[in-house]
Amino acid sequence: MQATSRDNPGSVGIVSPHTLSFDQGITLQCGEHLPSFDLVYETYGELNPERTNAVLICHALSGHHHAAGYHEEDEDRPGWWDNCIGPGKPIDTNRFHVVSLNNLGGCHGSTGPRSKNPQTDMPYGAGFPTVTVKDWVRTQAMLADALGIERFAAIVGGSLGGMQALQWSIDYPDRVAHAVLIACASKLSAQNIAFNEIARLAIKMDSPPDVAPEAMPGLGLARMIGHVTYLSDDSMGTKFGREVKTGDIGQGRDVQFQVESYLHYQGSKFAQAFDPNTYVLVTRALDYFDPAIEHDGDLVETLRRATAKFLVISFTSDWRFAPDRSNEIIDALVAAGKNTASANIISSMGHDSFLMEIPRYFSVLGAYLDSVASEVDV
Amino acid sequence: MQATSRDNPGSVGIVSPHTLSFDQGITLQCGEHLPSFDLVYETYGELNPERTNAVLICHALSGHHHAAGYHEEDEDRPGWWDNCIGPGKPIDTNRFHVVSLNNLGGCHGSTGPRSKNPQTDMPYGAGFPTVTVKDWVRTQAMLADALGIERFAAIVGGSLGGMQALQWSIDYPDRVAHAVLIACASKLSAQNIAFNEIARLAIKMDSPPDVAPEAMPGLGLARMIGHVTYLSDDSMGTKFGREVKTGDIGQGRDVQFQVESYLHYQGSKFAQAFDPNTYVLVTRALDYFDPAIEHDGDLVETLRRATAKFLVISFTSDWRFAPDRSNEIIDALVAAGKNTASANIISSMGHDSFLMEIPRYFSVLGAYLDSVASEVDV
């Protein structure tokens, strides 16, 4: 294993997605049966002969399997977590075999609303069954089986990804050594649900539910709502303030503020790239997530069966899943007697901080995963 | 003057709105000319012979002239600020002559998008000109002229209403003795503007701009967005938590959370009662509000000309116009040498606190206005 440096801006380079078909299908938590499904995934770094150095990356609302590297030499941007995954980076591909997939119900290659329903020969569209975090974790375990990974050295996720890592620790305690939960919560608040429902209504307002997904203003609007909740008031103030893009605010005419222009752009871009039915499906999975429901809301009791060690990270300016939401998880883990490390990172960037290269964040995450790697290297 | 008691749940009783027509019209800040306009208003309590005890109430986004009392014996609910205005209440109609109007551009009787454009004989609709806070204050001053009120003992407003009171103190320093600014800001933040723009897009998504206003899902959605920002995460948690109205969350099927049901109801109800073009107009007035722009952003310099005394009130859980936004105003007032009282009220109810009967809030407001009344009674 070569020496690595945290300063090395190493990339995993050119990567290719793979597809695995699961012809045995799956009966989902909602009771509906998918007769077969595909999962698209990528891997970075070598699986060691003992098969003990695998790290699973779970993605958030709009994420997918392409977490690091480039699909082509001239791709504009690398994978969505390229700043964190690579040789010498916090999730160090010189030491770990990183697995990253597009979740079931997604719109980046795994079976989802855009896929053809074999029973109707038409796209599932809005008829795609409800998928829960528990379902995602189960299909991730099926993927791990297919890849010959009995146990993950670590499962890492931010936001909705952190919820999957938490569910893993509960549903497959023997298969996850470390769970890294970043900027997440053990369940959504009424305010979180409210913003999700507003986003869903925006999508449903302008599109008959079974229409094939295209560029849709409703989805763009949904994304704009989400985007505002991912940023902080402070960071938006710093980035845009009341800067005017067009018009004359002194006369109060035809003014477009920079923040409006930015959100319009983000919304349209997202609407072209993402599937509205996937957005509805994923926000529903967020709303429904509440692992403690199996123990009448007792998270401590729910976590007793976990055997993983935990790292829980939050960000001071995150108001979507505020530090107190992480503290609820930390308190429950401690009460359940689990080995729990945690850090609340000072950042002005809101929920989106979990995607940013913030020195203390990357330092904590890197140091924790160093120790995970040391366990594996024995 | 009869003895009053703060505990007396006295009502102003049955009240009737009045309409004043301004046939001289007005040239608005945007440069457009309205050839004539009506303002609808109500008054509560007697104007004293010296005409020195008038209090102007400025309304917020969805408010109107009907602030207190009942229009009919069997009206379901009294005016929107009935808990605060009446005999023995903080804004005591035994001592003050209270004037409350529907602002220009509104949809409750004053000239606005639903009114007929005399030049086309069609409703103005989305073609109604841009109206600013400065325009509102000017038309309110015209109303005061017509009512024979040279100077207000106090001008009181919450949220957007507070912005009007602030603008009064700058534009008509001789005509306002006291300005009471509740839960407001001297200008919107990028986040505030972003939420307003999302609401406007929701409205524009489902309605051709010139269509006559009717029950519109877009407006309902806009209201839902607003509503979430008026409440706090805590108060929504207390009120709704994750309570399910229908469906089985354990199976993740057909679930509707209580918070969703509540917001749907609020959105639909609002869409039936309010005008989408007024909503767009008023949110634009909010966005554009920035009195300091006349002095290159220097609020202290802008406030120097004010001669009013000020009371500034904020609420701890208000994240739409957080206490720090009030502090910006307080700091500028103090720096400009103004007589400034202030209170930050502990409340879990978010921005909506300004409409609630919170003991310390009403106590501070009542005590301040008692002293205003004493000045007048001399």
Side-chain angles (χ1 to χ4, degrees):
Chain A
M1 186 166 288
Q2 70 179 86
T4 62
S5 153
R6 192 89 40 230
D7 299 313
N8 175 5
S11 166
V12 299
I14 303 293
V15 296
S16 295
H18 310 281
T19 301
L20 266 173
S21 295
F22 296 84
D23 294 331
Q24 73 271 47
I26 185 172
T27 299
L28 298 163
Q29 200 183 349
C30 67
E32 290 194 50
H33 185 75
L34 280 179
S36 69
F37 65 92
D38 291 350
L39 292 179
V40 175
Y41 68 97
E42 295 183 0
T43 65
Y44 323 113
E46 296 298 314
L47 185 61
N48 65 12
E50 302 81 14
R51 301 178 166 271
T52 55
N53 70 331
V55 169
L56 178 67
I57 307 298
C58 301
H59 71 75
L61 209 166
S62 60
H64 44 68
H65 56 287
H66 185 34
Y70 296 82
H71 282 166
E72 296 161 12
E73 284 291 354
D74 58 352
E75 197 174 26
D76 278 358
R77 303 175 60 178
W80 58 268
W81 216 9
D82 190 78
N83 59 7
C84 189
I85 302 169
K89 290 180 179 169
I91 303 175
D92 188 343
T93 52
N94 286 333
R95 307 181 79 177
F96 292 117
H97 174 66
V98 176
V99 179
S100 174
L101 80 158
N102 183 215
N103 276 331
L104 184 68
C107 54
H108 289 87
S110 291
T111 297
R114 289 189 180 185
S115 308
K116 202 176 276 186
N117 179 343
Q119 287 164 333
T120 64
D121 222 34
M122 301 275 289
Y124 282 102
F128 199 83
T130 303
V131 178
T132 64
V133 170
K134 214 173 166 67
D135 290 325
W136 280 332
V137 165
R138 206 164 127 233
T139 51
Q140 288 161 5
M142 291 166 79
L143 176 65
D145 290 342
L147 298 177
I149 298 164
E150 175 58 32
R151 187 170 190 250
F152 284 103
I155 298 181
V156 182
S159 193
L160 176 54
M163 297 172 175
Q164 295 160 54
L166 182 62
Q167 189 76 52
W168 260 97
S169 74
I170 297 164
D171 288 355
Y172 299 99
D174 298 338
R175 303 191 66 174
V176 47
H178 294 268
V180 179
L181 322 178
I182 307 168
C184 72
S186 66
K187 61 186 177 193
L188 261 58
S189 72
Q191 190 190 66
N192 295 147
I193 294 170
F195 278 122
N196 280 345
E197 175 63 1
I198 288 166
R200 285 187 293 265
L201 280 187
I203 289 169
K204 289 172 185 169
M205 251 170 66
D206 80 333
S207 62
D210 293 312
V211 159
E214 280 149 19
M216 283 174 154
L219 180 57
L221 187 60
R223 177 60 168 185
M224 289 169 69
I225 295 163
H227 210 92
V228 174
T229 70
Y230 304 149
L231 304 177
S232 70
D233 193 15
D234 270 2
S235 66
M236 292 183 82
T238 306
K239 193 164 179 178
F240 308 109
R242 294 174 52 80
E243 287 298 311
V244 167
K245 187 176 168 79
T246 58
D248 174 359
I249 196 172
Q251 286 215 308
R253 289 175 81 161
D254 305 323
V255 173
Q256 189 183 41
F257 291 93
Q258 287 289 1
V259 65
E260 296 174 315
S261 166
Y262 171 82
L263 287 174
H264 282 221
Y265 173 76
Q266 293 294 334
S268 318
K269 197 176 70 167
F270 187 78
Q272 285 162 27
F274 208 78
D275 181 85
N277 291 310
T278 289
Y279 202 90
V280 170
L281 176 154
V282 174
T283 56
R284 271 305 183 198
L286 269 163
D287 290 356
Y288 294 167
F289 179 67
D290 186 4
I293 210 167
E294 293 177 27
H295 286 91
D296 289 331
D298 187 337
L299 187 58
V300 177
E301 202 53 48
T302 306
L303 288 168
R304 283 204 199 285
R305 78 181 93 148
T307 58
K309 296 175 181 171
F310 291 85
L311 172 63
V312 183
I313 297 178
S314 59
F315 300 92
T316 51
S317 58
D318 184 353
W319 61 278
R320 190 175 173 98
F321 298 130
D324 272 354
R325 310 305 314 278
S326 283
N327 290 341
E328 291 168 12
I329 299 175
I330 294 164
D331 292 352
L333 285 169
V334 169
K338 305 303 158 190
N339 192 319
T340 309
S342 65
N344 182 27
I345 307 291
I346 295 172
S347 162
S348 65
M349 305 301 292
H351 186 61
D352 263 359
S353 299
F354 86 88
L355 294 166
M356 314 253 170
E357 187 172 342
I358 298 166
R360 184 169 168 245
Y361 167 37
F362 273 28
S363 165
V364 166
L365 184 59
Y368 189 87
L369 289 172
D370 270 349
S371 75
V372 173
S374 304
E375 290 178 14
V376 169
D377 289 345
V378 172
Chain B
M1 186 166 288
Q2 70 177 86
T4 59
S5 153
R6 193 87 42 230
D7 299 312
N8 176 4
S11 168
V12 298
I14 302 293
V15 296
S16 294
H18 310 282
T19 301
L20 266 173
S21 294
F22 296 84
D23 294 331
Q24 73 271 48
I26 184 173
T27 299
L28 299 163
Q29 199 183 349
C30 67
E32 291 195 48
H33 184 74
L34 280 179
S36 70
F37 65 94
D38 292 350
L39 291 179
V40 175
Y41 68 98
E42 296 182 0
T43 66
Y44 324 112
E46 296 297 314
L47 186 61
N48 64 13
E50 302 81 13
R51 300 178 168 271
T52 55
N53 70 331
V55 169
L56 178 67
I57 307 296
C58 301
H59 70 74
L61 207 165
S62 59
H64 45 67
H65 56 287
H66 186 31
Y70 295 82
H71 283 166
E72 296 161 11
E73 284 291 356
D74 58 353
E75 197 175 26
D76 278 356
R77 303 175 61 179
W80 59 268
W81 216 8
D82 190 78
N83 59 6
C84 189
I85 302 169
K89 291 180 178 170
I91 302 175
D92 189 344
T93 52
N94 287 332
R95 308 181 78 180
F96 293 116
H97 174 66
V98 176
V99 179
S100 174
L101 80 157
N102 184 215
N103 277 331
L104 183 67
C107 54
H108 290 86
S110 291
T111 296
R114 289 189 180 187
S115 308
K116 202 177 276 186
N117 179 344
Q119 289 165 331
T120 64
D121 222 35
M122 300 277 289
Y124 283 101
F128 199 84
T130 302
V131 178
T132 64
V133 169
K134 213 173 168 68
D135 291 324
W136 281 331
V137 165
R138 206 165 128 230
T139 52
Q140 289 161 5
M142 291 166 81
L143 176 66
D145 291 342
L147 298 176
I149 298 164
E150 174 59 32
R151 186 170 190 249
F152 284 103
I155 298 181
V156 182
S159 192
L160 177 54
M163 296 172 178
Q164 294 160 55
L166 182 62
Q167 189 77 52
W168 260 98
S169 75
I170 297 163
D171 288 356
Y172 299 99
D174 299 338
R175 301 192 69 174
V176 47
H178 293 268
V180 180
L181 322 179
I182 307 169
C184 72
S186 66
K187 61 185 177 192
L188 262 57
S189 71
Q191 190 190 65
N192 295 147
I193 295 170
F195 278 123
N196 281 345
E197 175 64 2
I198 289 166
R200 284 188 293 266
L201 280 189
I203 290 169
K204 289 171 184 169
M205 252 171 65
D206 80 333
S207 63
D210 293 313
V211 159
E214 280 150 19
M216 285 174 153
L219 181 56
L221 186 60
R223 177 61 167 184
M224 291 170 67
I225 295 163
H227 209 92
V228 173
T229 70
Y230 304 150
L231 304 177
S232 70
D233 193 16
D234 270 2
S235 65
M236 292 183 83
T238 306
K239 192 164 181 180
F240 308 108
R242 295 175 50 82
E243 287 299 311
V244 167
K245 187 175 168 80
T246 57
D248 174 1
I249 196 173
Q251 285 216 308
R253 289 176 82 160
D254 305 323
V255 173
Q256 189 184 40
F257 291 93
Q258 287 288 1
V259 65
E260 295 174 315
S261 166
Y262 170 82
L263 287 174
H264 282 221
Y265 173 77
Q266 294 293 334
S268 317
K269 197 176 69 165
F270 187 78
Q272 284 161 27
F274 208 79
D275 181 85
N277 289 311
T278 290
Y279 202 90
V280 170
L281 177 154
V282 175
T283 55
R284 270 306 183 195
L286 269 164
D287 290 356
Y288 295 167
F289 179 68
D290 185 5
I293 210 167
E294 294 177 26
H295 286 91
D296 289 331
D298 187 336
L299 186 58
V300 177
E301 203 51 49
T302 306
L303 288 169
R304 283 203 199 283
R305 77 181 93 150
T307 60
K309 296 175 182 172
F310 291 85
L311 172 63
V312 183
I313 297 178
S314 59
F315 301 92
T316 51
S317 57
D318 184 353
W319 62 277
R320 190 175 174 96
F321 298 131
D324 272 354
R325 308 307 313 280
S326 283
N327 290 341
E328 290 168 12
I329 298 175
I330 294 165
D331 292 353
L333 286 169
V334 169
K338 305 302 157 191
N339 191 320
T340 310
S342 65
N344 182 26
I345 308 291
I346 294 171
S347 161
S348 66
M349 306 301 290
H351 186 61
D352 263 359
S353 299
F354 86 87
L355 294 166
M356 314 251 168
E357 188 173 343
I358 299 165
R360 183 168 169 248
Y361 167 38
F362 272 29
S363 165
V364 165
L365 184 59
Y368 189 87
L369 289 173
D370 270 351
S371 76
V372 174
S374 305
E375 291 177 13
V376 170
D377 290 345
V378 172

